[in-house]
Amino acid sequence: MPGHKRNMAGFPMEAFYEIDITEIDGFDNLHCPQGILLDIMKRAQQLFGAESYMLVNGSTAGILSAVSAVVRRGDRILMARNCHKSAFHGVMQSGGHAAYLYPDYLEGYGLCGSVSPREVERGLREYPETRAVFLTSPTYDGIVSDVAAIASLVHEKGIPLIVDEAHGAHFALDRRFPDSAVSLGADIVIHSIHKTLPALTQTALLHVQGELVDRRRLRHFLSVYQTSSPSYILMAGIEQCLSLLEERGAALCERFFRWNEAFERQMEKLVSLHILSTEMGNNQSREIFAHDTGKKVISTAGTAMTGKQLYDLLLHRYGLQMEMAGQDYVTAIMTIMDTEDGFMRLGKALTEIDSQLKAGTLREKGKKSAGRYRPRTEGGRAAVGSGKAADRPVWMNGGKAAYDMHVAMEHEWEEIPVSESPGRIAAGFIHIYPPGIPLIVPGEVFTEETAETLLSCQEQGFMTEGMQENNKVCVIGEEKDA
């Protein structure tokens, strides 16, 4: 194997076939590394600071493996409610019980802030049987939590902290980025190196340190959730990424920050649009511990535009692909592999759109006005209003769970119109992708607000995974009093 025998001369992807091999002599085995693959993992350890494993099924495989390694059937895990869907899948597969930590809310931008140490304290106090804690830091929008303080609280209980740092693999490269969760004491850290570093899609790394994680169980689940025939093309991509960072990482970071500084200065002149990193500067808000400057969160709050409308405008008029759209913002990802021209084009486009909004010559229908984010000083630190519950994502209002996720998935289910869902129990996950945070999870009870949110997302054109055709949702087959 493989059947093509690397004999694909003249085919469009000839170069890929040439390096597509399997575990032939001299090329090691990912699930029992002793040679060249082990050497790559050791190089990753040198770069990131902890025992490292290559992942060819993305960060999803790392998250599933991490959760399964520390959560046994019936165990309680305390997890941030704004985690990626794969964390919920891990809990469901392990048969564990989830309790939730809720991030603060950044009202003016309509997005989640950090998970605070005080929130983790609350969760550990309320659920003393907790066997592990799981955070996402940074979030899809670059919001970073105080991992060092949280790790200290978690370790006082003698349990491990898992951090999904999929969007922060670049943190270890330069002190001007936020500190990496590895350096701050997290026990397991997962990096999607393809998200912000020069690596092929689907490649990632898992790092583990300390004595609180059973390495045997972790390696077992890595072999469960990853293919037994890992792609050597993907693993070669990981090695090439590490080589580039070893040889040119410092120089690439230096040029990134030079171009980014010029971009940020230009964005200070915006009047109608607002960029999170620009407005915060070096100040920390009560809701945000730190923010990754590589994530450009561009707010349309207070304008005639929705985030989706700005997203579409940047794509179709300016040829600029944003990473995602929220109701009142878009997020762009800038990495060390962006070009100076890329920074300049985005800056020019936003400046032009902002001037048209200011002049009233660019208006879009269907937008309700919202307030602008304006830091205010409290005790020498910038702060942001917490926001009313009605303004927050529907999942932040603490949806009632009738069943654990894995129990709910075992029930018979039926499809019903979303308008008839309030009071019924969800039989599956529903989330907007990206970022993949479940709006409702199996076992939770639909509310009027959930139904309205789902219909609104559909109307605005968001990709709502888990919704069925004709605005139907899956619920447990028999009604249950909520």
Side-chain angles (χ1 to χ4, degrees):
M1 295 185 290
H4 57 69
K5 304 292 183 176
R6 291 183 283 168
N7 185 24
M8 303 296 285
F11 280 72
M13 297 178 66
E14 176 183 351
F16 289 96
Y17 284 107
E18 288 179 354
I19 61 173
D20 182 34
I21 58 173
T22 59
E23 293 85 354
I24 57 178
D25 290 346
F27 281 86
D28 211 355
N29 185 317
L30 180 63
H31 299 297
C32 186
Q34 299 175 6
I36 60 173
L37 300 183
L38 180 61
D39 291 340
I40 296 172
M41 295 181 195
K42 288 180 178 178
R43 288 168 61 189
Q45 179 173 344
Q46 287 293 316
L47 188 61
F48 292 97
E51 182 181 343
S52 301
Y53 294 87
M54 285 195 291
L55 304 175
V56 294
N57 287 19
S59 281
T60 292
I63 290 170
L64 291 170
S65 301
V67 173
S68 297
V70 301
V71 177
R72 300 171 188 260
R73 184 165 296 276
D75 282 351
R76 173 81 65 188
I77 184 170
L78 192 58
M79 60 188 291
R81 184 54 181 79
N82 61 328
C83 287
H84 184 263
K85 59 182 179 178
S86 57
F88 294 85
H89 294 167
V91 177
M92 184 178 67
Q93 290 297 106
S94 68
H97 307 294
Y100 298 127
L101 301 167
Y102 291 91
D104 290 322
Y105 183 67
L106 192 60
E107 181 182 9
Y109 277 80
L111 55 82
C112 296
S114 307
V115 173
S116 67
R118 67 179 180 277
E119 173 66 2
V120 176
E121 282 185 299
R122 177 204 61 78
L124 292 171
R125 184 170 59 251
E126 188 171 342
Y127 300 98
E129 74 279 16
T130 294
R131 297 298 301 271
V133 174
F134 190 107
L135 294 177
T136 298
S137 177
T139 66
Y140 214 102
D141 303 306
I143 307 297
V144 177
S145 294
D146 188 351
V147 173
I150 292 171
S152 179
L153 291 170
V154 172
H155 291 160
E156 285 178 10
K157 302 294 183 181
I159 58 176
L161 172 64
I162 304 170
V163 177
D164 172 4
E165 201 172 67
H167 279 267
H170 57 294
F171 285 3
L173 302 183
D174 194 286
R175 58 180 176 77
R176 287 168 286 188
F177 291 121
D179 292 328
S180 169
V182 175
S183 68
L184 297 175
D187 300 275
I188 301 178
V189 178
I190 300 98
H191 284 150
S192 283
I193 56 172
H194 72 90
K195 285 184 167 63
T196 61
L197 293 177
L200 296 172
T201 296
Q202 203 172 308
T203 55
L205 294 168
L206 180 146
H207 313 285
V208 58
Q209 59 188 348
E211 305 299 324
L212 296 174
V213 177
D214 184 332
R215 303 299 198 277
R216 183 195 63 80
R217 280 182 62 86
L218 179 61
R219 286 192 291 268
H220 166 72
F221 284 108
L222 283 170
S223 70
V224 168
Y225 292 117
Q226 296 209 93
T227 174
S228 58
S229 302
S231 166
Y232 274 74
I233 295 175
L234 296 180
M235 290 189 288
I238 293 174
E239 182 182 26
Q240 287 297 299
C241 175
L242 295 176
S243 295
L244 181 65
L245 297 179
E246 290 165 346
E247 297 167 10
R248 298 178 53 205
L252 291 172
C253 286
E254 198 58 44
R255 75 174 193 182
F256 168 86
F257 282 104
R258 183 171 68 252
W259 296 338
N260 183 72
E261 183 179 350
F263 174 84
E264 295 280 352
R265 283 198 305 269
Q266 184 181 7
M267 294 301 95
E268 289 174 358
K269 301 174 184 177
L270 297 181
V271 176
S272 297
L273 298 174
H274 309 287
I275 299 185
L276 180 59
S277 57
T278 305
E279 293 197 349
M280 286 189 66
N282 295 320
N283 295 321
Q284 289 180 340
S285 78
R286 184 178 58 208
E287 283 73 27
I288 298 179
F289 176 75
H291 183 250
D292 174 18
T293 189
K295 302 294 193 304
K296 303 303 181 188
V297 181
I298 307 156
S299 173
T300 62
T303 76
M305 300 184 74
T306 65
K308 185 64 166 61
Q309 288 164 347
L310 177 59
Y311 177 99
D312 290 338
L313 184 63
L314 287 167
L315 177 62
H316 299 301
R317 182 182 295 181
Y318 297 96
L320 292 164
Q321 176 69 65
M322 297 296 97
E323 179 62 27
M324 66 163 286
Q327 292 195 22
D328 293 308
Y329 68 93
V330 300
T331 296
I333 296 181
M334 311 298 284
T335 78
I336 59 173
M337 299 306 291
D338 268 292
T339 63
E340 184 176 19
D341 178 66
F343 276 96
M344 293 176 64
R345 286 178 58 220
L346 179 59
K348 181 179 180 181
L350 293 176
T351 299
E352 187 173 298
I353 293 170
D354 184 75
S355 65
Q356 292 173 354
L357 286 168
K358 179 184 176 184
T361 58
L362 180 62
R363 295 186 180 276
E364 300 288 346
K365 296 180 180 179
K367 178 68 175 68
K368 292 183 179 179
S369 181
R372 173 184 175 181
Y373 165 70
R374 294 184 183 276
R376 66 174 185 273
T377 300
E378 289 186 1
R381 299 178 65 194
V384 184
S386 297
K388 299 176 181 178
D391 298 327
R392 304 179 183 192
V394 62
W395 52 259
M396 287 193 75
N397 296 334
K400 179 181 176 183
Y403 299 113
D404 280 320
M405 287 179 278
H406 64 281
V407 175
M409 291 293 287
E410 294 172 357
H411 279 68
E412 294 294 324
W413 57 272
E414 62 176 316
E415 289 184 10
I416 63 171
V418 68
S419 59
E420 299 175 11
S421 65
R424 301 295 298 274
I425 300 168
F429 293 91
I430 302 178
H431 55 265
I432 297 172
Y433 197 85
I437 300 169
L439 298 171
I440 193 165
V441 303
E444 286 185 347
V445 180
F446 280 96
T447 64
E448 293 282 355
E449 185 186 3
T450 309
E452 290 172 4
T453 297
L454 292 176
L455 288 172
S456 176
C457 290
Q458 292 284 82
E459 290 169 2
Q460 293 184 60
F462 290 106
M463 185 182 293
T464 313
E465 293 187 7
M467 290 279 285
Q468 309 305 305
E469 290 184 5
N470 301 318
N471 285 338
K472 290 187 175 182
V473 295
C474 295
V475 298
I476 288 177
E478 61 180 37
E479 291 214 38
K480 181 181 178 70
D481 250 342

